[in-house]
Amino acid sequence: MTDTVFITGVTSGFGYATALRFAKAGWKLILTGRRTERLEKLKAQLSSVPVHIITLDVRDANAVKQAVATLPEEFKSIKTLVNNAGLALAPDLAQKVALEDWHTMIDTNITGLVNVTHALLPSLIATGKGATIINLGSIAGQWPYPGSHVYGASKAFVKQFSYNLRCDLLGTGVRVTDIAPGMAETEFTLVRTGGNQKASDDLYQGTTPLSAEDIGEQIYHIATLPDHINYNRVEIMPVRQAWSAFAVDRDK
């Protein structure tokens, strides 16, 4: 029987690359995102495998429940969930950021992930051995930096939620991984800066960041590990990215 993967946030970046990677391996795909046109285009592109698309805002718990409850019969048995939908906004200092931007990050990165996970747990537990939940975290969930404020805090939630799920799912066969990328060249910075192409270009100029395809490959690897192996957390950085010294405030 062909395995099925449920991926959120597939209309760009990591989600898009992940969909392509699973399709290449012949999986059935349930693909969700907020941009219907992009979903339809991706479905047409992946015509060699069964694809079910859902225009979905993961922040809407009722919409998530309805989407899962009305899955076509051939897509109801889910082997892997990839909680990819998420975003960063307002890379300014916390004291300069609009409260609504904080709420948007919390609602998407935390509430949305929780909504989808809760809705799909029965199906994943029914699948049992080898079923996998892969949550998209970030190095920002482990390492603080100026302007990360709620974004980093939301990814710290992803990390701890993943660990806690592992405890609760012990004995079910369901695996949980927090995958935490570092610098990666996607639409991430464009979204974070409100569409500032120069800011995005400057961030990646002169270095070698990760690509969306790099992360998609790692997600597929995690989902296809032998059933008895669980990667608790996978932190991935480009070779050309590392940590820096502590900042110190000094008298002028």
Side-chain angles (χ1 to χ4, degrees):
M1 185 177 69
T2 304
D3 292 326
T4 302
V5 60
F6 189 113
I7 310 171
T8 66
V10 300
T11 55
S12 66
F14 298 153
Y16 179 84
T18 300
L20 295 184
R21 183 62 185 88
F22 277 86
K24 181 180 178 182
W27 286 52
K28 292 189 290 186
L29 308 175
I30 303 167
L31 307 178
T32 82
R34 290 186 294 170
R35 292 175 282 192
T36 304
E37 323 75 50
R38 291 198 183 190
L39 285 172
E40 291 173 346
K41 183 177 179 181
L42 182 55
K43 181 177 181 179
Q45 182 181 347
L46 302 177
S47 57
S48 62
V49 295
V51 177
H52 178 62
I53 58 172
I54 310 169
T55 302
L56 182 65
D57 185 340
V58 296
R59 297 174 296 180
D60 185 337
N62 289 328
V64 170
K65 289 178 185 177
Q66 179 69 10
V68 172
T70 57
L71 286 172
E73 196 62 37
E74 67 171 311
F75 291 95
K76 283 186 180 294
S77 179
I78 296 166
K79 180 76 175 289
T80 296
L81 164 61
V82 181
N83 274 314
N84 170 72
L87 79 169
L89 296 173
D92 239 331
L93 299 180
Q95 57 269 35
K96 299 179 179 179
V97 174
L99 180 59
E100 65 189 67
D101 287 335
W102 281 8
H103 284 170
T104 298
M105 287 186 279
I106 292 168
D107 292 345
T108 306
N109 300 352
I110 297 178
T111 305
L113 182 146
V114 166
N115 288 342
V116 177
T117 303
H118 190 270
L120 286 176
L121 275 176
S123 179
L124 291 159
I125 291 171
T127 297
K129 197 173 179 182
T132 311
I133 300 170
I134 300 172
N135 296 324
L136 261 294
S138 168
I139 62 169
Q142 178 78 13
W143 310 105
Y145 60 88
S148 183
H149 40 79
V150 165
Y151 174 68
S154 72
K155 293 305 183 178
F157 173 90
V158 172
K159 178 178 70 171
Q160 193 62 36
F161 181 60
S162 299
Y163 289 169
N164 291 344
L165 273 178
R166 283 271 291 120
C167 296
D168 291 345
L169 292 171
L170 184 65
T172 67
V174 181
R175 310 179 288 194
V176 187
T177 299
D178 166 34
I179 184 167
M183 179 187 285
E185 189 169 5
T186 64
E187 291 184 4
F188 177 87
T189 302
L190 275 178
V191 172
R192 191 174 202 184
T193 59
N196 187 334
Q197 186 65 56
K198 184 178 184 306
S200 180
D201 293 343
D202 288 348
L203 178 63
Y204 306 117
Q205 183 178 10
T207 190
T208 311
L210 300 171
S211 68
E213 290 74 23
D214 293 332
I215 301 305
E217 187 64 42
Q218 293 306 310
I219 289 171
Y220 177 76
H221 169 68
I222 292 165
T224 54
L225 287 166
D227 292 347
H228 68 289
I229 297 175
N230 191 105
Y231 287 1
N232 296 326
R233 186 170 187 269
V234 179
E235 186 176 287
I236 307 171
M237 295 168 70
V239 172
R240 300 182 71 182
Q241 180 184 27
W243 305 274
S244 189
F246 284 108
V248 179
D249 179 35
R250 300 186 186 278
D251 294 335
K252 299 297 187 284

